[in-house]
Amino acid sequence: MIEKILQDNNKSKIFFPILIFFIWLIIYLTCFFSWNHQLWWDETSYLTTARGIAENFDFGSRSTTVQGTIKYPYPQSTHHFPLYSAYVAIFFKLFGVSINVAYFSTWLAGLVCTLFIYFTMLILSKDNYIMSFISSLCFLLSPRITHMCDSGMMEIPGATLLSILIFIVF
């Protein structure tokens, strides 16, 4: 489907994904510079595990207390499913361990999810670009989505995996 869109010379087919990207970029920069980032205990556990994976491929479980980070002698999967931590660890390995890198990775997953929603709706609506664009923006502009992206929650990468799966099915 994506190859078909890129091979066609119709400029309106590529206009909406580019517009989605720029809307995402404006929202990302607005949230990055104007809102305080939120980090709760479970996100801290995900990110400390991601740091362990990035530094020495250690999937061990961790939690944060008043005294600092505690590492447990059992694997991550007994505390949290390690897929999100492994995803963030890729960004930590490439760009360094930083809370801003973790937030960017979540926002990037939000962009990918929005684009896959657009392409899936394009298939389902038989090339109705406006409806596909509006459907994808409903996801991107939802206040709960911006909150989840800005707090480093794992729901956005999970939604991205789900949107990719739905695109493959259709």
Side-chain angles (χ1 to χ4, degrees):
M1 175 67 185
I2 295 174
E3 295 87 18
K4 180 183 146 190
I5 291 171
L6 294 177
Q7 288 174 356
D8 197 354
N9 289 333
N10 190 352
K11 299 292 184 207
S12 66
K13 291 186 178 186
I14 199 76
F15 172 74
F16 289 111
I18 292 172
L19 186 60
I20 288 171
F21 171 76
F22 282 113
I23 292 171
W24 170 84
L25 186 64
I26 290 168
I27 293 171
Y28 170 70
L29 292 175
T30 301
C31 291
F32 183 78
F33 288 113
S34 64
W35 292 351
N36 290 328
H37 299 300
Q38 302 171 8
L39 197 61
W40 299 340
W41 70 269
D42 52 345
E43 288 87 19
T44 304
S45 175
Y46 300 140
L47 297 180
T48 54
T49 303
R51 181 178 181 171
I53 295 170
E55 288 176 351
N56 56 6
F57 210 64
D58 178 20
F59 281 81
S61 182
R62 296 160 176 82
S63 64
T64 303
T65 64
V66 182
Q67 291 119 2
T69 303
I70 297 175
K71 184 179 177 323
Y72 299 108
Y74 49 83
Q76 162 80 7
S77 58
T78 59
H79 188 233
H80 292 294
F81 190 67
L83 186 62
Y84 175 65
S85 296
Y87 167 74
V88 175
I90 294 169
F91 286 89
F92 281 174
K93 198 69 164 168
L94 293 174
F95 304 112
V97 178
S98 167
I99 195 72
N100 291 332
V101 172
Y103 289 137
F104 176 74
S105 70
T106 307
W107 276 100
L108 187 63
L111 172 65
V112 171
C113 185
T114 304
L115 289 172
F116 272 98
I117 289 172
Y118 172 78
F119 290 128
T120 303
M121 289 304 296
L122 206 57
I123 293 169
L124 294 176
S125 67
K126 307 223 187 297
D127 294 338
N128 188 341
Y129 298 102
I130 301 295
M131 187 177 88
S132 301
F133 176 71
I134 291 171
S135 298
S136 63
L137 280 188
C138 286
F139 173 80
L140 184 62
L141 297 177
S142 169
R144 189 70 182 146
I145 298 303
T146 55
H147 167 73
M148 286 182 196
C149 283
D150 205 42
S151 64
M153 292 186 177
M154 66 176 280
E155 284 81 359
I156 301 301
T160 302
L161 289 175
L162 184 64
S163 67
I164 292 170
L165 176 68
I166 291 172
F167 178 78
I168 291 171
V169 167
F170 286 108

